[in-house]
Amino acid sequence: TPNLDRLGKAGTWFTNAVCQQPNTNASHASIFTGVFPFVHGVRQHMIDLLLPNVHTLAEILDQQGYETAGLYSWVSLEKGFSGLRGFDTYEDLSIHLVPLMRDPRFEDLIVTYRLLGKYLFLPNLIENVFLQGQQDSVEDTTVGKANVTTDAAVRWLDANAHGPKPFFLWVHYYDPHYPYEPPAPFDQMYDPEYTGTVDGSMKTIHYIYANNTGDLTPADVNHIHALYNGAISFTDQQVARLLDQIDSLGLTDN
């Protein structure tokens, strides 16, 4: 990860970082507010929204005259699921998102379904196979890809970096995250001699959840690790593109 290292050396490196709660939405709410989940109100992932009386970093900077943008790569960070506020531009860069998820009314349905299952422990109260199937489809098919995220960040910088306002740009990468399917050549970078049939797809992930490693061989497990490492290096390459664009716009020292 030479470019993540480059970013760390040029910025502030935290040697003692503690995750306030190990899921996406609660963690991001803490990052943007500086308070614990029991204060900002986001505990149940994709159910709880940020409380209205808690201010985000983006809101504060927006009030101070900044142009604010959030470019994110995972569906749970959409406003209807997270409640994150304060961005003049807020764009979901997830790919393979089922079309129904673009309808905000469906977000409300999913939240209601999850509330019934998580809080009331009545997962079968709504016997809506279509709704459940769409939710499963979101979890299994929607992904973020670092190159798509970086493309959007570069476009935003080209259009806004030299505007009349100072800017705050949050770029959220989904990689590395399952499914472990980095593009070539990163898919072969760390285990080129593997000859088995195991890949990093959601089929493999579901198998591991259900069976631990089951009958996977050490070579199979090593290959999954290698795919994960390939996703890290792919993301590192894309971080380089973002940093190079900031360099080319003369912003690195500002």
Side-chain angles (χ1 to χ4, degrees), residues 2-234:
N3 299 293
L4 288 170
D5 296 346
R6 162 188 168 195
L7 179 61
K9 291 175 182 176
T12 301
W13 191 303
F14 290 87
T15 59
N16 183 23
V18 180
C19 174
Q20 300 308 317
Q21 184 173 314
N23 60 35
T24 303
N25 284 18
S27 289
H28 282 81
S30 286
I31 290 169
F32 273 105
T33 63
V35 297
F36 292 104
F38 72 85
V39 177
H40 60 60
V42 182
R43 302 301 294 269
Q44 291 283 352
H45 177 66
M46 290 183 76
I47 293 177
D48 296 329
L49 298 180
L50 191 65
L51 292 174
N53 61 326
V54 180
H55 298 295
T56 70
L57 174 61
E59 284 182 299
I60 293 168
L61 291 175
D62 182 63
Q63 292 164 3
Q64 295 300 315
Y66 278 69
E67 185 74 22
T68 57
L71 306 177
Y72 59 98
S73 307
W74 182 236
V75 64
S76 78
L77 294 168
E78 291 195 2
K79 290 180 181 178
F81 293 133
S82 67
L84 289 179
R85 302 181 296 270
F87 296 98
D88 300 312
T89 300
Y90 198 62
E91 184 177 355
D92 185 354
L93 300 165
S94 306
I95 63 175
H96 307 317
L97 189 63
V98 293
L100 198 57
M101 283 299 299
R102 299 295 183 189
D103 186 339
R105 294 170 298 177
F106 186 64
E107 288 186 7
D108 294 338
L109 281 174
I110 284 188
V111 169
T112 300
Y113 186 87
R114 292 175 70 107
L115 277 167
L116 290 168
K118 297 273 189 178
Y119 284 148
L120 303 181
F121 303 102
L122 297 173
N124 296 320
L125 185 61
I126 299 178
E127 295 181 356
N128 189 326
V129 175
F130 175 71
L131 180 60
Q132 181 63 53
Q134 288 294 322
Q135 185 176 343
D136 291 344
S137 177
V138 168
E139 296 290 342
D140 281 2
T141 63
T142 305
V143 296
K145 285 296 181 184
N147 57 320
V148 175
T149 306
T150 303
D151 288 345
V154 167
R155 287 194 301 270
W156 192 92
L157 285 166
D158 285 342
N160 297 278
H162 293 300
K165 296 181 178 181
F167 70 88
F168 169 63
L169 172 62
W170 169 49
V171 183
H172 165 265
Y173 287 102
Y174 182 74
D175 323 63
H177 192 288
Y178 60 72
Y180 306 128
E181 298 176 322
F186 300 98
D187 57 339
Q188 297 292 322
M189 182 172 286
Y190 296 107
D191 193 21
E193 305 302 321
Y194 179 72
T195 58
T197 59
V198 170
D199 58 18
S201 68
M202 287 307 301
K203 180 180 178 181
T204 301
I205 302 305
H206 286 311
Y207 176 85
I208 292 171
Y209 271 123
N211 304 285
N212 197 359
T213 53
D215 60 358
L216 299 182
T217 69
D220 294 334
V221 175
N222 180 69
H223 186 61
I224 297 170
H225 289 170
L227 291 170
Y228 179 74
N229 288 334
I232 294 173
S233 290
F234 167 57

